[in-house]
Amino acid sequence: MTESTASCGIYRVLNCLNGDTYIGQSINIEKRVYCHGVGKKRCPHLSYEVLEVCREDELDGKEWEWVFRLRPSKNRKLPVLTPNLDQSECC
């Protein structure tokens, strides 16, 4: 794969055996999912899909949106329903 064909964006990995999902971000999705073991003989039950292609500076926000929308089972930190408040607004 050449640099020009690499996709920057948000992806989802699906475990076809138990339905578990993981959403991630990468500046090179194809390389990243290969590192997860998708399509390798050691993890033939994993598949992936590109959810959204975006610019590198949009990755964090776009990943948050997808995690919030799909609530994947394997993401450790799910977004909260309310935005983060400044400390001065909490006290």
Coordinates of all heavy atoms in Angstrom, one line a residue:
M1 N 0.8 -1.2 0.0 CA 0.0 0.0 0.0 C 0.9 1.2 0.0 O 1.9 1.3 0.7 CB -0.9 0.0 1.2 CG -1.7 1.2 1.4 SD -2.6 1.2 2.9 CE -3.3 -0.4 2.9
T2 N 0.5 2.2 -0.8 CA 1.3 3.4 -0.8 C 0.7 4.5 0.1 O -0.5 4.3 0.5 CB 1.3 4.0 -2.3 OG1 0.0 4.3 -2.7 CG2 1.9 3.0 -3.2
E3 N 1.4 5.5 0.4 CA 0.9 6.6 1.2 C -0.4 7.2 0.6 O -1.3 7.6 1.3 CB 1.9 7.7 1.4 CG 3.1 7.2 2.2 CD 3.1 7.6 3.6 OE1 2.3 8.6 3.9 OE2 3.7 7.0 4.4
S4 N -0.4 7.3 -0.7 CA -1.6 8.0 -1.3 C -2.9 7.2 -1.2 O -3.9 7.8 -1.4 CB -1.3 8.2 -2.8 OG -1.1 7.0 -3.5
T5 N -2.8 5.9 -0.9 CA -4.0 5.1 -0.8 C -4.4 4.9 0.6 O -5.5 4.3 0.9 CB -3.9 3.7 -1.5 OG1 -2.8 3.0 -0.9 CG2 -3.6 3.9 -3.0
A6 N -3.6 5.4 1.6 CA -4.0 5.2 3.0 C -5.1 6.1 3.4 O -5.2 7.2 3.0 CB -2.7 5.5 3.9
S7 N -6.0 5.5 4.2 CA -7.2 6.3 4.6 C -7.0 6.8 6.0 O -6.7 6.0 6.9 CB -8.5 5.4 4.5 OG -8.7 5.0 3.2
C8 N -7.3 8.0 6.3 CA -7.3 8.6 7.6 C -8.7 8.7 8.0 O -9.6 9.2 7.3 CB -6.6 10.0 7.5 SG -6.6 10.9 9.1
G9 N -9.1 8.2 9.2 CA -10.4 8.3 9.6 C -10.8 7.3 10.8 O -9.9 6.9 11.6
I10 N -12.1 7.0 10.8 CA -12.6 6.2 11.9 C -13.1 4.8 11.4 O -13.6 4.7 10.3 CB -13.9 6.9 12.5 CG1 -13.6 8.4 12.8 CG2 -14.4 6.2 13.7 CD1 -12.4 8.6 13.8
Y11 N -12.8 3.8 12.2 CA -13.1 2.5 11.7 C -13.7 1.7 12.9 O -13.7 2.1 14.1 CB -11.8 1.7 11.3 CG -10.8 1.5 12.4 CD1 -10.8 0.4 13.2 CD2 -9.9 2.5 12.7 CE1 -9.9 0.2 14.2 CE2 -9.0 2.4 13.7 CZ -9.0 1.2 14.5 OH -8.1 1.1 15.5
R12 N -14.4 0.6 12.5 CA -15.0 -0.3 13.5 C -14.5 -1.7 13.3 O -14.5 -2.2 12.1 CB -16.5 -0.3 13.4 CG -17.2 -1.3 14.4 CD -18.7 -1.2 14.5 NE -19.4 -1.1 13.2 CZ -20.7 -1.0 13.1 NH1 -21.4 -0.9 14.2 NH2 -21.2 -0.9 11.9
V13 N -14.1 -2.4 14.3 CA -13.7 -3.8 14.2 C -14.8 -4.6 14.9 O -15.3 -4.3 15.9 CB -12.4 -4.1 15.0 CG1 -12.0 -5.6 15.0 CG2 -11.2 -3.3 14.3
L14 N -15.2 -5.7 14.2 CA -16.3 -6.5 14.6 C -15.8 -7.9 14.9 O -15.2 -8.5 14.0 CB -17.5 -6.5 13.6 CG -18.6 -7.5 13.8 CD1 -19.4 -7.2 15.1 CD2 -19.5 -7.6 12.6
N15 N -16.1 -8.5 16.0 CA -15.9 -9.9 16.3 C -17.1 -10.7 15.9 O -18.2 -10.6 16.5 CB -15.6 -10.1 17.8 CG -15.3 -11.5 18.2 OD1 -15.8 -12.4 17.6 ND2 -14.4 -11.7 19.1
C16 N -17.0 -11.4 14.8 CA -18.1 -12.1 14.2 C -18.6 -13.3 15.1 O -19.7 -13.8 14.9 CB -17.8 -12.6 12.8 SG -17.3 -11.3 11.7
L17 N -17.8 -13.7 16.1 CA -18.2 -14.8 16.9 C -19.2 -14.4 18.0 O -20.1 -15.1 18.4 CB -17.0 -15.5 17.6 CG -16.0 -16.1 16.6 CD1 -14.8 -16.7 17.3 CD2 -16.7 -17.2 15.8
N18 N -18.9 -13.2 18.6 CA -19.7 -12.8 19.8 C -20.3 -11.4 19.6 O -21.0 -10.9 20.5 CB -18.9 -12.8 21.1 CG -17.7 -11.9 21.0 OD1 -17.6 -11.0 20.2 ND2 -16.7 -12.1 21.9
G19 N -20.1 -10.7 18.5 CA -20.7 -9.4 18.3 C -20.1 -8.2 18.9 O -20.5 -7.1 18.8
D20 N -19.0 -8.5 19.7 CA -18.2 -7.3 20.3 C -17.7 -6.4 19.2 O -17.3 -6.9 18.1 CB -17.0 -7.8 21.1 CG -17.5 -8.4 22.4 OD1 -18.6 -8.2 22.9 OD2 -16.6 -9.1 23.1
T21 N -17.7 -5.1 19.5 CA -17.2 -4.1 18.5 C -16.3 -3.2 19.2 O -16.3 -3.0 20.4 CB -18.4 -3.3 17.9 OG1 -19.1 -2.7 19.0 CG2 -19.3 -4.2 17.1
Y22 N -15.4 -2.6 18.4 CA -14.4 -1.6 18.9 C -14.4 -0.5 17.8 O -14.3 -0.8 16.6 CB -13.0 -2.2 19.0 CG -12.0 -1.2 19.3 CD1 -11.8 -0.7 20.6 CD2 -11.1 -0.8 18.3 CE1 -10.9 0.3 20.8 CE2 -10.2 0.2 18.5 CZ -10.0 0.7 19.8 OH -9.1 1.6 20.0
I23 N -14.4 0.7 18.2 CA -14.2 1.8 17.3 C -12.9 2.5 17.6 O -12.6 2.8 18.7 CB -15.4 2.8 17.5 CG1 -16.7 2.2 17.0 CG2 -15.1 4.1 16.7 CD1 -17.9 3.0 17.1
G24 N -12.2 2.8 16.5 CA -10.9 3.4 16.7 C -10.6 4.5 15.6 O -11.4 4.6 14.7
Q25 N -9.5 5.1 15.7 CA -9.1 6.1 14.7 C -7.7 5.9 14.3 O -6.9 5.3 15.0 CB -9.2 7.5 15.3 CG -8.3 7.7 16.5 CD -8.1 9.2 17.0 OE1 -7.4 9.9 16.3 NE2 -8.8 9.5 18.0
S26 N -7.4 6.3 13.1 CA -6.0 6.1 12.6 C -5.8 7.0 11.4 O -6.7 7.4 10.7 CB -5.8 4.7 12.2 OG -4.5 4.5 11.7
I27 N -4.5 7.4 11.3 CA -4.1 8.2 10.1 C -3.9 7.2 8.9 O -3.7 7.6 7.8 CB -2.9 9.1 10.3 CG1 -1.7 8.2 10.8 CG2 -3.2 10.2 11.3 CD1 -0.4 9.0 10.8
N28 N -3.9 5.9 9.2 CA -3.7 4.9 8.2 C -4.5 3.7 8.6 O -4.0 2.7 9.3 CB -2.2 4.5 8.0 CG -2.1 3.5 6.8 OD1 -2.9 2.7 6.5 ND2 -0.9 3.6 6.2
I29 N -5.8 3.7 8.3 CA -6.8 2.7 8.8 C -6.3 1.2 8.4 O -6.3 0.3 9.2 CB -8.2 2.9 8.3 CG1 -8.7 4.3 8.9 CG2 -9.1 1.8 8.7 CD1 -10.0 4.7 8.4
E30 N -6.0 1.1 7.2 CA -5.6 -0.3 6.7 C -4.5 -0.9 7.5 O -4.5 -2.0 7.9 CB -5.3 -0.2 5.2 CG -6.5 0.1 4.3 CD -6.9 1.6 4.3 OE1 -6.1 2.4 4.8 OE2 -8.0 1.9 3.8
K31 N -3.5 -0.1 7.8 CA -2.3 -0.5 8.5 C -2.7 -0.8 10.0 O -2.3 -1.8 10.6 CB -1.2 0.5 8.5 CG 0.0 0.1 9.2 CD 1.1 1.1 9.1 CE 2.4 0.7 9.8 NZ 3.4 1.8 9.7
R32 N -3.6 0.0 10.5 CA -4.0 -0.1 11.9 C -4.8 -1.4 12.1 O -4.6 -2.2 13.1 CB -4.8 1.1 12.4 CG -5.2 1.0 13.8 CD -4.0 1.1 14.7 NE -4.5 1.0 16.1 CZ -4.0 0.1 17.0 NH1 -3.0 -0.7 16.6 NH2 -4.4 0.1 18.2
V33 N -5.8 -1.7 11.3 CA -6.6 -2.9 11.5 C -5.8 -4.1 11.2 O -6.0 -5.2 11.8 CB -7.9 -2.9 10.6 CG1 -8.8 -1.7 11.0 CG2 -7.6 -2.8 9.2
Y34 N -4.8 -4.0 10.4 CA -3.9 -5.2 10.2 C -3.2 -5.5 11.5 O -3.0 -6.6 11.9 CB -2.9 -4.9 9.1 CG -1.9 -6.1 8.8 CD1 -2.4 -7.1 8.0 CD2 -0.7 -6.1 9.4 CE1 -1.5 -8.2 7.8 CE2 0.2 -7.2 9.1 CZ -0.2 -8.2 8.4 OH 0.6 -9.3 8.2
C35 N -2.8 -4.4 12.2 CA -2.1 -4.6 13.5 C -3.1 -5.2 14.6 O -2.7 -5.9 15.5 CB -1.6 -3.3 14.0 SG -0.2 -2.7 13.1
H36 N -4.4 -5.0 14.4 CA -5.4 -5.6 15.3 C -5.5 -7.1 15.0 O -6.1 -7.8 15.8 CB -6.8 -5.0 15.1 CG -7.0 -3.7 15.8 ND1 -6.9 -3.5 17.2 CD2 -7.4 -2.4 15.3 CE1 -7.1 -2.3 17.5 NE2 -7.4 -1.6 16.4
G37 N -5.0 -7.6 13.9 CA -5.2 -9.0 13.5 C -6.3 -9.2 12.6 O -6.6 -10.4 12.3
V38 N -7.0 -8.2 12.1 CA -8.1 -8.4 11.2 C -7.6 -9.0 9.9 O -6.7 -8.5 9.3 CB -8.8 -7.1 10.9 CG1 -9.9 -7.3 9.9 CG2 -9.3 -6.5 12.2
G39 N -8.2 -10.1 9.5 CA -7.9 -10.8 8.2 C -6.7 -11.7 8.3 O -6.3 -12.4 7.4
K40 N -6.0 -11.7 9.5 CA -4.9 -12.6 9.6 C -5.4 -14.0 10.1 O -6.5 -14.1 10.6 CB -3.9 -12.1 10.7 CG -3.2 -10.8 10.4 CD -2.3 -10.5 11.5 CE -1.5 -9.2 11.2 NZ -0.6 -8.8 12.3
K41 N -4.6 -15.0 9.9 CA -5.0 -16.4 10.2 C -5.2 -16.5 11.7 O -6.1 -17.3 12.1 CB -3.9 -17.4 9.8 CG -3.8 -17.6 8.3 CD -2.8 -18.6 7.9 CE -2.7 -18.7 6.4 NZ -1.7 -19.6 6.0
R42 N -4.5 -15.7 12.5 CA -4.7 -15.8 14.0 C -6.1 -15.2 14.4 O -6.5 -15.5 15.5 CB -3.6 -15.2 14.7 CG -3.5 -13.7 14.5 CD -2.2 -13.1 15.2 NE -2.1 -11.7 14.8 CZ -1.8 -10.8 15.7 NH1 -1.6 -11.0 16.9 NH2 -1.8 -9.5 15.2
C43 N -6.7 -14.4 13.7 CA -8.0 -13.8 14.0 C -8.9 -13.7 12.8 O -9.4 -12.6 12.4 CB -7.8 -12.4 14.6 SG -6.8 -12.3 16.1
P44 N -9.3 -14.9 12.3 CA -10.1 -14.8 11.1 C -11.6 -14.4 11.4 O -12.3 -14.1 10.4 CB -10.1 -16.3 10.6 CG -9.8 -17.1 11.8 CD -8.9 -16.2 12.7
H45 N -12.0 -14.4 12.6 CA -13.3 -14.0 13.0 C -13.5 -12.5 13.1 O -14.6 -12.0 13.5 CB -13.7 -14.7 14.3 CG -12.7 -14.4 15.5 ND1 -11.5 -15.0 15.6 CD2 -12.8 -13.5 16.5 CE1 -10.9 -14.5 16.6 NE2 -11.7 -13.6 17.2
L46 N -12.4 -11.7 12.9 CA -12.5 -10.2 13.0 C -12.7 -9.6 11.6 O -12.1 -10.1 10.6 CB -11.3 -9.6 13.6 CG -11.0 -10.0 15.1 CD1 -9.7 -9.4 15.5 CD2 -12.2 -9.6 16.0
S47 N -13.6 -8.7 11.5 CA -13.8 -7.9 10.3 C -13.8 -6.4 10.6 O -13.9 -6.1 11.8 CB -15.1 -8.3 9.6 OG -16.2 -7.9 10.3
Y48 N -13.6 -5.6 9.6 CA -13.6 -4.2 9.9 C -14.4 -3.4 8.8 O -14.5 -3.9 7.7 CB -12.2 -3.6 10.1 CG -11.5 -3.2 8.9 CD1 -11.5 -1.9 8.4 CD2 -10.8 -4.2 8.1 CE1 -10.8 -1.5 7.3 CE2 -10.2 -3.8 6.9 CZ -10.2 -2.5 6.5 OH -9.5 -2.1 5.4
E49 N -14.8 -2.2 9.2 CA -15.4 -1.3 8.2 C -14.9 0.1 8.5 O -14.7 0.4 9.6 CB -16.9 -1.4 8.2 CG -17.5 -0.9 9.4 CD -19.0 -0.9 9.4 OE1 -19.6 -0.5 8.3 OE2 -19.7 -1.3 10.4
V50 N -14.7 0.9 7.4 CA -14.4 2.3 7.6 C -15.7 3.0 7.8 O -16.6 2.9 7.0 CB -13.6 2.8 6.4 CG1 -13.4 4.3 6.5 CG2 -12.3 2.1 6.2
L51 N -15.8 3.7 8.9 CA -17.0 4.4 9.2 C -17.0 5.8 8.6 O -18.1 6.3 8.2 CB -17.2 4.5 10.8 CG -17.4 3.2 11.5 CD1 -17.5 3.4 13.0 CD2 -18.7 2.5 11.0
E52 N -15.9 6.4 8.6 CA -15.8 7.8 8.1 C -14.3 8.1 7.8 O -13.4 7.9 8.6 CB -16.3 8.8 9.1 CG -16.4 10.2 8.6 CD -17.2 11.1 9.6 OE1 -17.7 10.6 10.6 OE2 -17.2 12.3 9.3
V53 N -14.1 8.7 6.6 CA -12.8 9.2 6.2 C -12.8 10.7 6.6 O -13.8 11.4 6.3 CB -12.5 9.0 4.7 CG1 -11.2 9.6 4.3 CG2 -12.5 7.5 4.4
C54 N -11.7 11.2 7.2 CA -11.7 12.6 7.6 C -10.2 13.0 7.7 O -9.3 12.2 7.5 CB -12.3 12.8 9.0 SG -11.6 11.9 10.4
R55 N -10.0 14.3 8.0 CA -8.7 14.9 8.1 C -8.1 14.5 9.5 O -8.9 14.2 10.4 CB -8.7 16.4 8.0 CG -9.2 16.9 6.7 CD -9.0 18.4 6.6 NE -9.4 19.1 7.8 CZ -10.6 19.7 8.0 NH1 -11.5 19.6 7.1 NH2 -10.9 20.3 9.1
E56 N -6.8 14.5 9.6 CA -6.2 14.1 10.9 C -6.6 15.0 12.0 O -6.8 14.5 13.1 CB -4.7 14.2 10.7 CG -3.9 13.6 11.9 CD -2.4 13.6 11.6 OE1 -1.9 13.7 10.5 OE2 -1.7 13.3 12.6
D57 N -6.8 16.3 11.8 CA -7.2 17.2 12.9 C -8.7 17.0 13.3 O -9.1 17.6 14.3 CB -7.0 18.6 12.5 CG -7.8 19.1 11.3 OD1 -8.2 18.3 10.5 OD2 -8.1 20.3 11.3
E58 N -9.4 16.1 12.6 CA -10.8 15.9 13.0 C -11.0 14.5 13.7 O -12.1 14.2 14.2 CB -11.7 15.8 11.7 CG -11.8 17.1 11.0 CD -12.6 16.9 9.7 OE1 -12.3 16.0 8.9 OE2 -13.5 17.7 9.5
L59 N -9.9 13.8 13.8 CA -10.0 12.4 14.3 C -10.6 12.3 15.7 O -11.5 11.5 15.9 CB -8.6 11.7 14.4 CG -8.1 11.3 13.0 CD1 -6.6 10.8 13.1 CD2 -8.9 10.2 12.4
D60 N -10.2 13.0 16.7 CA -10.7 12.9 18.1 C -12.2 13.2 18.1 O -12.9 12.4 18.7 CB -9.9 13.9 19.0 CG -8.5 13.4 19.3 OD1 -8.2 12.2 19.1 OD2 -7.7 14.3 19.7
G61 N -12.6 14.3 17.5 CA -14.0 14.6 17.5 C -14.9 13.6 16.8 O -16.0 13.2 17.3
K62 N -14.4 13.1 15.6 CA -15.2 12.1 14.9 C -15.3 10.8 15.6 O -16.3 10.2 15.6 CB -14.6 11.9 13.5 CG -14.6 13.2 12.6 CD -16.0 13.5 12.2 CE -16.0 14.6 11.2 NZ -17.3 15.0 10.7
E63 N -14.2 10.4 16.2 CA -14.2 9.1 17.0 C -15.2 9.2 18.1 O -16.0 8.3 18.4 CB -12.8 8.8 17.5 CG -12.8 7.5 18.3 CD -11.4 7.2 18.9 OE1 -10.6 8.1 19.1 OE2 -11.2 6.0 19.1
W64 N -15.2 10.4 18.9 CA -16.1 10.6 19.9 C -17.5 10.4 19.4 O -18.4 9.8 20.1 CB -15.9 11.9 20.6 CG -16.7 12.2 21.8 CD1 -16.2 11.9 23.1 CD2 -18.0 12.6 21.9 NE1 -17.2 12.3 24.0 CE2 -18.3 12.7 23.3 CE3 -19.0 13.0 21.0 CZ2 -19.6 13.1 23.7 CZ3 -20.2 13.4 21.4 CH2 -20.5 13.5 22.8
E65 N -17.8 11.1 18.3 CA -19.2 11.0 17.7 C -19.6 9.6 17.5 O -20.8 9.2 17.8 CB -19.3 11.8 16.5 CG -19.2 13.3 16.7 CD -19.1 14.1 15.3 OE1 -19.3 13.5 14.3 OE2 -18.7 15.3 15.4
W66 N -18.7 8.8 16.9 CA -19.1 7.4 16.5 C -19.2 6.5 17.8 O -20.1 5.7 17.9 CB -18.1 6.8 15.6 CG -18.3 7.3 14.2 CD1 -17.6 8.2 13.5 CD2 -19.3 6.8 13.3 NE1 -18.2 8.4 12.2 CE2 -19.2 7.5 12.1 CE3 -20.4 5.9 13.4 CZ2 -20.1 7.3 11.0 CZ3 -21.2 5.6 12.3 CH2 -21.0 6.4 11.1
V67 N -18.3 6.7 18.7 CA -18.4 6.0 20.0 C -19.8 6.3 20.7 O -20.5 5.4 21.2 CB -17.2 6.2 20.9 CG1 -17.5 5.7 22.3 CG2 -16.0 5.6 20.3
F68 N -20.1 7.6 20.7 CA -21.3 8.0 21.4 C -22.5 7.4 20.6 O -23.5 6.9 21.2 CB -21.4 9.5 21.4 CG -22.7 10.0 22.1 CD1 -22.8 10.0 23.4 CD2 -23.7 10.5 21.3 CE1 -23.9 10.5 24.1 CE2 -24.9 11.0 21.9 CZ -25.0 11.0 23.3
R69 N -22.5 7.4 19.3 CA -23.6 6.9 18.5 C -23.8 5.4 18.6 O -24.9 4.9 18.8 CB -23.4 7.3 17.0 CG -24.6 7.0 16.1 CD -24.3 7.4 14.7 NE -23.9 8.8 14.6 CZ -23.2 9.3 13.6 NH1 -22.8 8.5 12.6 NH2 -22.9 10.5 13.5
L70 N -22.7 4.7 18.5 CA -22.8 3.2 18.4 C -22.6 2.5 19.7 O -22.9 1.3 19.8 CB -21.8 2.7 17.4 CG -22.0 3.2 15.9 CD1 -21.0 2.7 15.0 CD2 -23.4 2.9 15.4
R71 N -22.0 3.1 20.7 CA -21.8 2.5 22.0 C -21.1 1.1 21.9 O -21.7 0.1 22.4 CB -23.1 2.4 22.8 CG -23.7 3.7 23.1 CD -22.9 4.4 24.1 NE -23.5 5.7 24.4 CZ -23.2 6.5 25.3 NH1 -22.2 6.2 26.1 NH2 -23.7 7.7 25.5
P72 N -19.9 1.0 21.3 CA -19.2 -0.3 21.2 C -18.9 -0.9 22.5 O -18.6 -0.2 23.5 CB -18.0 0.1 20.3 CG -17.7 1.5 20.7 CD -19.1 2.2 20.9
S73 N -18.9 -2.2 22.5 CA -18.6 -2.9 23.7 C -17.2 -3.0 24.2 O -16.9 -3.2 25.4 CB -19.1 -4.4 23.6 OG -18.5 -5.0 22.5
K74 N -16.3 -2.8 23.3 CA -14.8 -2.9 23.7 C -14.1 -1.6 23.8 O -12.9 -1.6 24.1 CB -14.1 -3.8 22.6 CG -14.5 -5.2 22.7 CD -14.2 -5.8 24.1 CE -14.6 -7.2 24.2 NZ -14.3 -7.8 25.5
N75 N -14.7 -0.5 23.7 CA -14.1 0.8 24.0 C -14.1 1.0 25.5 O -15.1 1.0 26.1 CB -14.7 2.0 23.2 CG -14.4 2.0 21.8 OD1 -14.9 1.1 21.0 ND2 -13.6 2.9 21.3
R76 N -12.9 1.3 26.0 CA -12.8 1.4 27.5 C -13.5 2.7 28.0 O -14.1 2.6 29.1 CB -11.3 1.5 27.9 CG -10.6 0.2 27.7 CD -9.2 0.3 28.2 NE -8.5 -0.9 27.8 CZ -7.2 -1.0 27.5 NH1 -6.5 0.1 27.5 NH2 -6.7 -2.1 27.2
K77 N -13.4 3.7 27.3 CA -13.9 5.0 27.8 C -15.1 5.5 26.9 O -14.8 6.0 25.8 CB -12.8 6.0 27.8 CG -13.1 7.3 28.6 CD -11.9 8.1 28.8 CE -12.2 9.3 29.6 NZ -11.0 10.2 29.7
L78 N -16.3 5.4 27.3 CA -17.4 5.9 26.5 C -17.7 7.3 26.9 O -17.5 7.7 28.0 CB -18.7 5.0 26.8 CG -18.6 3.6 26.4 CD1 -19.9 2.9 26.8 CD2 -18.5 3.5 24.9
P79 N -18.1 8.1 25.9 CA -18.4 9.5 26.2 C -19.6 9.7 27.1 O -20.5 8.8 27.1 CB -18.6 10.1 24.8 CG -18.9 9.0 23.9 CD -18.3 7.7 24.5
V80 N -19.5 10.7 27.9 CA -20.7 11.0 28.8 C -21.7 11.8 28.0 O -21.5 12.3 26.9 CB -20.2 11.9 30.0 CG1 -19.3 11.0 30.9 CG2 -19.5 13.1 29.5
L81 N -22.9 11.8 28.5 CA -24.0 12.4 27.8 C -24.0 14.0 27.9 O -24.5 14.6 27.1 CB -25.4 12.0 28.4 CG -25.7 10.5 28.2 CD1 -26.9 10.1 28.9 CD2 -25.8 10.2 26.7
T82 N -23.3 14.5 28.9 CA -23.2 16.0 29.0 C -21.8 16.4 28.7 O -20.8 15.7 29.0 CB -23.6 16.4 30.4 OG1 -22.8 15.8 31.4 CG2 -25.0 16.1 30.7
P83 N -21.6 17.6 28.2 CA -20.3 18.1 27.9 C -19.5 18.3 29.1 O -20.1 18.6 30.2 CB -20.5 19.4 27.1 CG -21.9 19.8 27.5 CD -22.6 18.5 27.8
N84 N -18.2 18.3 29.1 CA -17.3 18.6 30.2 C -17.5 20.1 30.6 O -17.6 20.9 29.8 CB -15.8 18.4 29.9 CG -15.5 17.0 29.7 OD1 -16.2 16.1 30.2 ND2 -14.5 16.7 28.9
L85 N -17.7 20.3 31.9 CA -17.9 21.6 32.4 C -16.6 22.2 33.0 O -15.8 21.5 33.5 CB -18.9 21.7 33.5 CG -20.3 21.2 33.1 CD1 -21.3 21.2 34.3 CD2 -20.9 22.2 32.0
D86 N -16.4 23.5 32.8 CA -15.3 24.1 33.4 C -15.4 24.0 35.0 O -16.5 24.1 35.5 CB -15.3 25.6 33.0 CG -14.0 26.3 33.3 OD1 -13.2 25.8 34.0 OD2 -13.8 27.4 32.7
Q87 N -14.3 23.9 35.7 CA -14.4 23.8 37.1 C -15.1 24.9 37.8 O -15.9 24.7 38.8 CB -12.9 23.7 37.7 CG -12.2 22.4 37.5 CD -12.9 21.3 38.3 OE1 -13.6 21.5 39.3 NE2 -12.6 20.0 37.9
S88 N -15.0 26.1 37.3 CA -15.7 27.3 37.8 C -17.2 27.1 37.7 O -18.0 27.7 38.5 CB -15.3 28.6 37.2 OG -15.6 28.5 35.8
E89 N -17.7 26.4 36.7 CA -19.1 26.2 36.5 C -19.7 25.1 37.5 O -20.9 25.0 37.7 CB -19.4 25.8 35.1 CG -19.1 26.9 34.1 CD -19.2 26.4 32.7 OE1 -19.1 25.2 32.4 OE2 -19.5 27.3 31.8
C90 N -18.8 24.2 38.0 CA -19.3 23.1 38.8 C -19.4 23.5 40.3 O -20.1 22.9 41.0 CB -18.3 22.0 38.7 SG -18.1 21.3 37.1
C91 N -18.7 24.5 40.7 CA -18.6 24.8 42.2 C -19.5 25.9 42.6 O -19.9 26.7 41.9 CB -17.2 25.2 42.5 SG -16.0 23.9 42.1

